[in-house]
């Protein structure tokens, strides 16, 4: 299961999850991408709106509360192995929110593709997702959208396995 989240900032103790993207991988094929938008109790900053394209109205009209979002995440991920790009960031946010809401933290097998890429590609200018995707010829239609980033991560996993 490839995952990605979008947040209001970088700190799990003060910032909020605004979207969770998930893509199951069946026999090397990305299947059934999903995105869960999350209502938050404060307006998004202009910087986050510009970076992600998410809007306050979009989260308000299509978002669910954090408990519902986390329940859907846990039900979808089940005990599947999780992959992501800099996935510890995502898991730290998710686990903090799970624990705060009386749920069990994620203890699935987790693979960070950024770590894998750093071992395989020693001479990239940087290891941001967009740089790595370009190196592997993978297009990400909507960067910084949870579902699109999760789908791109699933495609990157497939390329890394083939290599």
């Amino acid at each position: 299961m490839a995952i990605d989240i979008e947040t209001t900032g970088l700190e799990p103790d003060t910032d909020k999850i605004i979207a969770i993207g998930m893509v199951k991988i069946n026999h090397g094929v990305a299947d059934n991408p999903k995105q869960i938008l999350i209502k938050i109790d404060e307006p998004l900053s202009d910087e986050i709106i510009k970076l992600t394209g998410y809007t306050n109205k979009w989260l308000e009209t299509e978002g669910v509360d954090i408990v519902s979002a986390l329940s859907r995440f846990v039900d979808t991920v089940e005990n599947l192995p999780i992959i992501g790009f800099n996935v510890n960031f995502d898991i730290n946010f998710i686990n903090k929110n799970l624990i705060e809401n009386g749920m069990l933290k994620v203890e699935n097998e987790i693979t960070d593709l950024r770590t894998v890429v750093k071992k395989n590609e020693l001479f990239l200018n940087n290891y941001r997702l967009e740089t790595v995707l370009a190196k592997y010829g993978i297009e990400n239609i909507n960067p910084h959208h949870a579902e699109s980033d999760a789908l791109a991560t699933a495609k990157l996993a497939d390329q890394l396995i083939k290599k």
Side-chain angles (χ1 to χ4, degrees):
M1 174 74 65
I3 69 162
D4 185 72
I5 67 168
E6 300 303 333
T7 66
T8 60
L10 302 176
E11 298 299 326
D13 290 333
T14 56
D15 294 311
K16 312 241 191 234
I17 301 171
I18 58 174
I20 302 173
M22 299 171 283
V23 179
K24 283 191 177 181
I25 303 169
N26 293 321
H27 306 292
V29 176
D31 184 36
N32 197 18
K34 295 180 187 208
Q35 176 169 257
I36 305 167
L37 299 178
I38 301 164
K39 290 181 185 180
I40 59 173
D41 56 1
E42 59 196 48
L44 296 172
S45 69
D46 291 341
E47 293 83 12
I48 294 298
I49 292 170
K50 184 178 178 184
L51 178 68
T52 66
Y54 295 111
T55 64
N56 294 306
K57 184 175 182 177
W58 193 13
L59 296 182
E60 182 60 36
T61 58
E62 295 187 33
V64 298
D65 63 88
I66 189 68
V67 172
S68 297
L70 293 169
S71 294
R72 285 175 55 190
F73 172 80
V74 168
D75 289 346
T76 302
V77 170
E78 300 172 324
N79 63 349
L80 295 170
I82 294 173
I83 62 168
F85 196 86
N86 194 26
V87 72
N88 291 329
F89 173 86
D90 305 81
I91 294 299
N92 286 340
F93 263 92
I94 289 168
N95 279 339
K96 181 198 172 285
N97 281 273
L98 286 167
I99 291 165
E100 276 183 356
N101 289 287
M103 303 166 90
L104 297 175
K105 70 180 189 173
V106 173
E107 295 199 16
N108 303 43
E109 176 187 335
I110 297 170
T111 302
D112 186 349
L113 296 185
R114 189 171 90 171
T115 302
V116 174
V117 169
K118 281 185 171 185
K119 289 179 184 174
N120 292 336
E121 303 293 343
L122 301 178
F123 301 106
L124 289 179
N125 290 335
N126 62 64
Y127 293 93
R128 292 190 306 255
L129 181 58
E130 62 267 18
T131 303
V132 171
L133 294 176
K135 168 71 177 168
Y136 285 87
I138 299 167
E139 183 180 10
N140 187 355
I141 307 267
N142 288 311
H144 301 290
H145 269 242
E147 181 180 4
S148 185
D149 286 353
L151 183 57
T153 299
K155 291 177 182 177
L156 176 60
D158 183 54
Q159 290 293 320
L160 290 169
I161 289 168
K162 287 178 181 174
K163 193 172 184 184

